[in-house]
């Protein structure tokens, strides 16, 4: 099992550590609801240094990215970030990722921890362009400073004017005396904030500075448990749950990152789904009756008891104080307000399809 640079610090803070994607990671420090609401209402810091980072460099870097990703990376300018996915040969998704453009011939790809090796091998396999590739995953730490007060905390530590930073843009600067920090206006919570990429040898220095600067806002360390409930309230897909090797981005409601202005791996297949319709769709739903929390792989049925789909993610929403979830259902049952039933402990619990995001 791999350890992030601040593994011992998290243990000393009393974090509950679990194996996640091959890493020893903090899932909880105190209380999930408290951590969740700290981010929604003020500010919290996640150590998500398990994420993977690849550098792609060379005059053909964009050509490689255009081939292996579904979104149109030619629309990127320096300092811009793009959400995208890596389609596979079978009509599914290798991974979802972020693409950072540093210059016309230098990009960073930020990938999920569980897929670092898989993604590296997949992109390398298609690198017939002579693009220089470097796996930076073990060299960088990544802190997600999230919440409405995140900008006030980070701004104390840098001369970079964050007030002009737009969503899904980034810059490189000095933060808390740490040089070459990537300051990215991104996150997986929908609460606003920044993701800071820092060299491992500066990780502790930056972490301590964030907590000193955020003390007036009651800043908290936040575990992966709250990261999951926060992202679900915003309807963000989680790889391995809501998208995987067998799901098309069209089925997952990710048509907006699937651009047919270019050719990419299996693009004709996905274009066909968009034009001809899909048999199943990823929807959000909220529970209308008590009876348990929807969880991954719970069966979804119609009023007659016919199986129409499966839950991919579910939780008790701390912000909404109700049980919510996402899952794939037959397209005929995907309209908002459609009545569905989630099978929990052999009981059919009534729910309805709702518009995503939940919050």
């Amino acid at each position: 099992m791999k350890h992030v640079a601040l593994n011992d610090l998290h243990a000393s803070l009393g974090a509950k550590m679990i194996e996640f994607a091959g890493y020893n990671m903090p899932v909880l420090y105190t209380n999930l609801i408290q951590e969740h609401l700290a981010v929604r209402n003020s500010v919290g810091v996640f150590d998500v240094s398990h994420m993977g980072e690849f550098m792609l460099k060379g005059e053909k870097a964009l050509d490689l990215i255009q081939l292996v990703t579904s979104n149109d990376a030619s629309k990127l300018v320096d300092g811009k970030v793009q959400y995208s996915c890596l389609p596979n040969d079978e009509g599914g998704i290798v991974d979802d990722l972020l693409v950072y453009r540093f210059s016309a011939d230098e990009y960073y790809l930020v990938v999920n921890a569980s897929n670092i090796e898989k993604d590296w091998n997949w992109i390398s396999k298609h690198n017939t362009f002579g693009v220089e590739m470097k796996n930076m995953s073990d060299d960088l730490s990544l802190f997600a400073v999230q919440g409405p007060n995140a900008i006030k905390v980070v701004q104390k530590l840098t001369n970079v004017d964050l007030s002009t930073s737009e969503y899904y843009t980034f810059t490189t600067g000095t933060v808390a005396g740490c040089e070459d920090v990537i300051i990215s206006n991104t996150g997986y919570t929908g609460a606003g904030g920044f993701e800071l990429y820092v060299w491992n040898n500066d990780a502790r220095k930056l972490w301590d500075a964030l907590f000193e600067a955020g003390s007036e806002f009651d800043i908290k360390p936040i575990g992966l448990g709250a990261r999951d409930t926060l992202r679900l309230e915003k309807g963000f897909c989680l790889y391995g749950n809501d998208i995987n090797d067998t799901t098309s981005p069209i089925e997952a409601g990710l048509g907006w990152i699937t651009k047919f202005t270019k050719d990419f791996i299996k693009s004709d297949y996905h274009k066909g789904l968009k034009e001809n319709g899909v048999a199943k769709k990823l929807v959000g739903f909220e529970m209308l009756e008590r009876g348990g929390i929807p969880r991954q792989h719970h069966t979804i049925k119609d009023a007659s008891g016919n199986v129409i789909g499966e839950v991919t993610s579910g939780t008790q929403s701390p912000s909404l104080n109700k049980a919510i979830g996402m899952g794939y259902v037959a397209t005929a049952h995907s309209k908002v307000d459609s009545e569905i039933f989630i099978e929990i402990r052999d009981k059919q619990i009534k729910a309805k399809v709702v518009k995503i995001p939940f919050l």
Side-chain angles (χ1 to χ4, degrees):
M1 189 160 56
K2 299 181 81 169
H3 288 179
V4 296
L6 300 189
N7 178 83
D8 293 348
L9 172 63
H10 300 307
S12 73
L13 291 172
K16 179 184 177 184
M17 307 293 287
I18 64 163
E19 188 277 329
F20 181 83
Y23 288 78
N24 192 41
M25 296 295 293
V27 67
L28 192 73
Y29 291 88
T30 53
N31 173 284
L32 188 142
I33 293 175
Q34 290 173 4
E35 291 178 25
H36 178 109
L37 295 177
V39 175
R40 278 277 176 258
N41 299 326
S42 185
V43 60
V45 184
F46 304 80
D47 185 344
V48 285
S49 304
H50 61 319
M51 298 291 283
E53 297 89 14
F54 307 153
M55 182 187 74
L56 271 58
K57 202 170 184 178
E59 62 180 39
K60 296 282 191 179
L62 178 60
D63 293 334
L64 175 57
I65 292 167
Q66 289 288 71
L67 173 64
V68 299
T69 67
S70 62
N71 211 334
D72 188 355
S74 71
K75 302 295 185 183
L76 286 171
V77 295
D78 295 358
K80 189 75 176 144
V81 189
Q82 184 181 75
Y83 180 55
S84 193
C85 75
L86 301 169
N88 64 22
D89 286 329
E90 285 77 48
I93 299 171
V94 178
D95 201 6
D96 61 335
L97 75 162
L98 295 180
V99 180
Y100 285 68
R101 173 170 155 153
F102 285 81
S103 68
D105 60 1
E106 184 175 351
Y107 297 79
Y108 267 28
L109 307 184
V110 181
V111 303
N112 285 302
S114 56
N115 293 330
I116 292 173
E117 184 178 2
K118 172 187 173 190
D119 294 356
W120 178 265
N121 292 340
W122 178 256
I123 298 166
S124 298
K125 172 184 167 183
H126 292 92
N127 183 15
T128 58
F129 302 91
V131 175
E132 177 191 347
M133 293 176 57
K134 186 175 182 182
N135 187 348
M136 316 281 287
S137 306
D138 292 336
D139 304 322
L140 291 167
S141 289
L142 173 56
F143 303 139
V145 189
Q146 298 284 290
N149 287 321
I151 188 170
K152 297 173 186 174
V153 174
V154 181
Q155 188 63 80
K156 285 185 182 184
L157 304 174
T158 183
N159 291 327
V160 175
D161 183 4
L162 301 180
S163 67
T164 62
S165 170
E166 296 178 359
Y167 191 44
Y168 268 63
T169 64
F170 74 97
T171 189
T172 302
T174 300
V175 183
C178 307
E179 297 181 353
D180 300 321
V181 176
I182 298 170
I183 309 165
S184 178
N185 190 336
T186 49
Y188 195 47
T189 66
F194 293 85
E195 294 184 302
L196 306 175
Y197 298 80
V198 61
W199 298 110
N200 285 340
N201 58 0
D202 280 332
R204 180 62 190 266
K205 181 180 179 181
L206 179 55
W207 177 275
D208 289 345
L210 287 168
F211 279 85
E212 185 177 338
S215 60
E216 67 173 292
F217 306 108
D218 199 22
I219 194 169
K220 304 283 189 196
I222 313 293
L224 294 182
R227 183 171 157 90
D228 191 51
T229 55
L230 287 156
R231 70 91 192 169
L232 184 49
E233 288 182 344
K234 288 297 180 177
F236 296 152
C237 289
L238 173 63
Y239 193 87
N241 284 53
D242 314 299
I243 51 177
N244 59 37
D245 288 305
T246 68
T247 54
S248 165
I250 306 301
E251 296 171 328
L254 297 176
W256 60 281
I257 65 163
T258 312
K259 302 294 171 59
F260 302 108
T261 50
K262 55 153 198 173
D263 290 327
F264 58 86
I265 292 167
K266 210 69 175 178
S267 54
D268 287 346
Y269 170 79
H270 299 289
K271 188 176 184 181
L273 288 180
K274 185 173 183 179
E275 292 174 348
N276 302 318
V278 293
K280 63 178 182 180
K281 284 185 179 178
L282 184 66
V283 299
F285 62 86
E286 65 178 45
M287 306 302 294
L288 299 177
E289 300 174 340
R290 293 188 178 276
I293 309 298
R295 299 297 187 195
Q296 186 183 23
H297 303 310
H298 280 174
T299 299
I300 303 176
K301 294 184 176 180
D302 64 15
S304 301
N306 301 306
V307 175
I308 58 168
E310 184 177 273
V311 175
T312 55
S313 290
T315 194
Q316 177 73 17
S317 162
S319 302
L320 302 171
N321 198 27
K322 64 174 71 169
I324 60 172
M326 296 198 295
Y328 285 93
V329 298
T331 303
H333 299 272
S334 65
K335 290 191 178 71
V336 170
D337 291 329
S338 294
E339 183 181 82
I340 59 175
F341 294 82
I342 314 301
E343 187 169 82
I344 303 175
R345 292 189 292 272
D346 297 324
K347 292 182 178 177
Q348 318 307 312
I349 313 299
K350 188 185 290 188
K352 72 172 181 179
V353 175
V354 297
K355 192 174 181 182
I356 294 173
F358 300 94
L359 187 70

